[in-house]
Amino acid sequence: MTRASYFNLNAKLKMEVIIRTSPEEAAELASRLIAARMRAKPELVLGLATGRTMERVYDRLVAKHQKEGLDFSICRTFNLDEYIGVPPEDEHSYRYYMNHHLFSRVNIDLANTHVPDGMATDLRAAAAHYEQLIQEAGGIDVQLLGIGEAGHIGFNEPLSALMSRTRDKALMPLTRQQNAEMFGGDPDKVPKRAVTMGVGTILDARELLLLATGRAKASILAKAVEGPITAMISASAIQLHPNCKVIIDEDAARELKERQYYDWIFQNEPEWEEFRA
Ligand code: F6R
């Protein structure tokens, strides 16, 4: 895709839901979209997420780097969130996750990668600095998002203001339960707080790509996409965004009411042609 067609695609502002047959196919489509954006704009500012859903996306981006020469050398990244009190070298930190799953496997300049500082003594100042760094980079071009079972994007737990900015946030019991697997199965070992981009910070990105897979996400995904916009489900705020793609597998799509329409869009709209095969 040329730089011009990238901006033409961006000019067609809308929210779309794309349903793929499996988690692998959903991750493949998400990674192809990211790769297309990176090829069109090598200095892309990419917003990144962690979590199990994203591992498949990062594996595919690494494969594209190795097999197709996808170039990360001048792209810049900003992660959504980080646990408070977990140092970057700890395997539970999101900095460690990113280095492990993506950064150490591609030709990215680590100086161009950013993860919120969960060890800062002044968390408020560090959060403001993070917002400033995003601004100085020219804003986020594409923000990758997962969705938590509590309906969060980033760690924007229920009642996160839709205009919130990067800040620290207490995690819900459901979120700590959901993430216990990475802490030996014990929810009490999951940190109680995290620094997260705000909902407003996320909505400022020029394009959103939300990826969700698996049966456990079906109910919350349907609420986020087809339900009312509410601060109780921060993911529902994506409905306010003019350029948002929701990429899901069959299991995550099970509770959507309008899937025939979503399928028709993917099968018929011309900008999806190159991604159908
Ligand atoms: C992680 C993040 C979270 C996750 C969400 C889904 O950086 O921002 O919102 O995307 O909790 O996590 P998984 O993919 O593990 O189900």
Side-chain angles (χ1 to χ4, degrees):
M1 194 188 290
T2 64
R3 194 179 174 110
S5 65
Y6 166 67
F7 286 108
N8 283 341
L9 184 60
N10 266 5
K12 294 182 181 168
L13 302 178
K14 55 194 158 188
M15 174 162 162
E16 288 169 322
V17 179
I18 309 298
I19 301 152
R20 309 305 282 146
T21 50
S22 65
E24 286 74 23
E25 287 296 319
E28 177 60 21
L29 178 59
S31 66
R32 282 180 70 188
L33 284 166
I34 294 167
R37 305 298 183 260
M38 289 178 65
R39 290 194 179 103
K41 183 181 176 186
E43 71 279 24
L44 197 77
V45 181
L46 192 50
L48 296 173
T50 61
R52 286 147 291 192
T53 316
M54 297 306 155
E55 290 178 19
R56 289 190 178 94
V57 177
Y58 298 142
D59 284 345
R60 278 163 176 76
L61 287 174
V62 170
K64 287 180 184 3
H65 168 67
Q66 289 168 346
K67 294 182 195 146
E68 301 163 19
L70 183 66
D71 182 17
F72 288 77
S73 62
I74 58 169
C75 97
R76 292 150 301 158
T77 67
F78 288 89
N79 265 77
L80 284 166
D81 42 20
E82 179 59 283
Y83 289 121
I84 290 176
V86 182
E89 59 280 5
D90 185 314
E91 62 177 2
H92 298 108
S93 76
Y94 284 170
R95 164 52 78 177
Y96 185 97
Y97 172 107
M98 289 313 304
N99 288 351
H100 178 73
H101 288 287
L102 183 65
F103 300 154
S104 64
R105 302 163 76 197
V106 295
N107 65 332
I108 202 160
D109 180 350
L110 272 185
N112 287 339
T113 69
H114 305 87
V115 179
D117 183 359
M119 296 299 288
T121 41
D122 186 342
L123 286 168
R124 191 176 283 196
H129 181 58
Y130 201 65
E131 289 275 337
Q132 191 189 331
L133 288 174
I134 294 172
Q135 290 282 321
E136 285 169 8
I140 292 172
D141 289 304
V142 183
Q143 177 66 56
L144 190 56
L145 298 168
I147 181 172
E149 286 167 44
H152 66 212
I153 44 177
F155 272 136
N156 289 289
E157 302 291 64
L159 288 183
S160 287
L162 301 182
M163 293 173 78
S164 52
R165 312 302 304 186
T166 304
R167 71 217 182 288
D168 62 298
K169 194 75 193 153
L171 301 182
M172 277 197 95
L174 178 57
T175 296
R176 295 177 71 220
Q177 182 74 51
Q178 185 199 303
N179 288 1
E181 189 185 314
M182 281 74 80
F183 289 82
D186 182 357
D188 288 336
K189 292 208 171 104
V190 180
K192 292 189 176 65
R193 303 183 76 83
V195 185
T196 180
M197 278 187 205
V199 182
T201 320
I202 292 169
L203 291 180
D204 281 351
R206 286 183 269 281
E207 182 175 18
L208 302 182
L209 280 188
L210 187 145
L211 179 66
T213 57
R215 188 74 186 89
K217 301 287 173 69
S219 163
I220 195 68
L221 192 274
K223 286 180 186 145
V225 170
E226 296 179 336
I229 297 171
T230 166
M232 287 304 290
I233 299 173
S234 67
S236 67
I238 64 171
Q239 296 175 38
L240 293 167
H241 198 281
N243 189 11
C244 175
K245 293 165 188 66
V246 177
I247 300 169
I248 56 179
D249 69 347
E250 284 289 348
D251 279 341
R254 280 197 201 183
E255 297 192 28
L256 288 173
K257 292 193 184 68
E258 301 299 341
R259 80 156 288 173
Q260 276 186 324
Y261 175 60
Y262 310 143
D263 285 341
W264 188 93
I265 296 282
F266 186 66
Q267 290 310 329
N268 292 279
E269 289 290 69
E271 84 262 22
W272 286 110
E273 196 176 337
E274 65 180 290
F275 297 102
R276 275 179 219 133

